[in-house]
Amino acid sequence: MSEHEFGESSLVEHLVELRARLVRALLGLGVVLLGLLPFSRTLYTVVAEPLISQLPNGQSMIAINPAGAFFAPLKLTFFVALFVAMPWLLYQLWAFVAPGLYAREKRLAVPILGSSVLLFYIGCAFAYFLVLPAVFHFLTTFRPDVIAITPDANAYLDFVLAIFFAFGGSFELPVAMVILTLLGWVTPQQFKEGRGYAVVGIFVLAAVLTPPDVVSQLMLAIPMCLLYELGIHASKWLVPSSVRQTEP
């Protein structure tokens, strides 16, 4: 077999493997989605609880679009299924790329992937149990009495999902710092020296990602500052010894 034919054969094998992994990933996601569909209304009720608990008695959500009451729970169910199936999806990705990695890369990739999923889950849980109740309490407490809050079901869901992704993604900061260190682009010492700039950037990012209230901005910025410190220590633990020896 010529080198050209060998290359084509290898490419076909990779494409077949990729297709198989994608099919398995989608099947797993589909199974989770089908299992959650009967609980769509319950899931939406749970997600709506942080706001409903702050509304005056007798007030609830509305659906401006006639189909909103139907599609909002379905949309939420899909994202919950994606959330639940994420470890399976990442495993399929890992199974596809793992054969091409070196032994050291495999040893590092597993804890990095695991940590990224765990931190994303922690960020979403932090947003649901602490941030959303505090934000809605702040917004409903300081509103004028002449203004009644009647949130739209779809608009509320978009708001909550944006908060979840903002906090889940922001909690990935230590993982991003470790990856940058392992790539040799930044050293732990540089992270340490740039702490002041990082804090300013974190507060700016928190102001952009969160609603225009001080409560949510602080509740994102403060954990991110702590996570930045965690990222510095994690980078020191994982940085190659050759890089550590060249640091000032």
Side-chain angles (χ1 to χ4, degrees), residues 18 40 42 77 85-86 107 110 129 158 198 211-212:
L18 177 61
S40 295
T42 302
T77 304
M86 188 57 64
R107 289 196 302 269
V110 172
F129 290 105
D158 291 340

Side-chain angles (χ1 to χ4, degrees), residues 1-247:
M1 180 181 294
S2 67
E3 182 178 349
H4 178 70
E5 292 175 339
F6 178 80
E8 288 184 349
S9 175
S10 178
L11 177 60
V12 170
E13 291 177 357
H14 284 302
L15 291 177
V16 171
E17 176 69 13
L18 177 61
R19 183 184 65 179
R21 293 297 173 185
L22 287 175
V23 170
R24 293 174 187 175
L26 292 176
L27 285 176
L29 177 60
V31 169
V32 175
L33 180 59
L34 289 175
L36 291 176
L37 279 177
F39 307 99
S40 295
R41 292 187 297 177
T42 302
L43 289 173
Y44 195 92
T45 300
V46 171
V47 171
E49 178 60 26
L51 176 58
I52 297 299
S53 63
Q54 301 298 328
L55 293 178
N57 292 333
Q59 284 191 233
S60 61
M61 292 187 182
I62 62 173
I64 297 176
N65 186 331
F70 174 76
F71 285 110
L74 291 181
K75 180 179 177 180
L76 173 63
T77 304
F78 172 77
F79 280 101
V80 173
L82 188 63
F83 182 85
V84 173
M86 188 57 64
W88 171 253
L89 301 179
L90 289 177
Y91 169 75
Q92 296 303 320
L93 175 63
W94 164 253
F96 177 71
V97 302
L101 299 178
Y102 294 108
R104 181 176 181 274
E105 293 173 336
K106 290 182 180 179
R107 289 196 302 269
L108 293 174
V110 172
I112 287 176
L113 283 175
S115 299
S116 64
V117 174
L118 179 61
L119 286 172
F120 186 85
Y121 285 171
I122 292 175
C124 292
F126 181 82
Y128 178 79
F129 290 105
L130 296 177
V131 177
L132 290 178
V135 169
F136 293 138
H137 178 74
F138 175 83
L139 295 177
T140 55
T141 299
F142 291 96
R143 67 176 176 85
D145 294 333
V146 296
I147 299 178
I149 299 178
T150 54
D152 173 63
N154 271 307
Y156 172 79
L157 179 59
D158 291 340
F159 175 83
V160 170
L161 290 176
I163 291 293
F164 282 164
F165 281 108
F167 277 80
S170 299
F171 273 51
E172 301 289 332
L173 180 60
V175 176
M177 294 171 66
V178 167
I179 292 175
L180 290 175
T181 301
L182 292 174
L183 291 174
W185 294 355
V186 186
T187 65
Q189 183 64 26
Q190 289 173 325
F191 279 130
K192 187 175 180 180
E193 293 173 351
R195 182 184 288 114
Y197 297 102
V199 170
V200 174
I202 286 172
F203 274 88
V204 172
L205 182 64
V208 173
L209 294 179
T210 58
D213 65 279
V214 178
V215 175
S216 58
Q217 292 173 11
L218 290 177
M219 294 187 75
L220 178 58
I222 293 176
M224 283 190 69
C225 290
L226 298 177
L227 290 169
Y228 185 83
E229 295 298 324
L230 176 62
I232 293 177
H233 292 291
S235 299
K236 288 182 178 178
W237 297 333
L238 296 176
V239 68
S241 58
S242 58
V243 175
R244 189 182 301 115
Q245 293 171 359
T246 60
E247 291 185 359

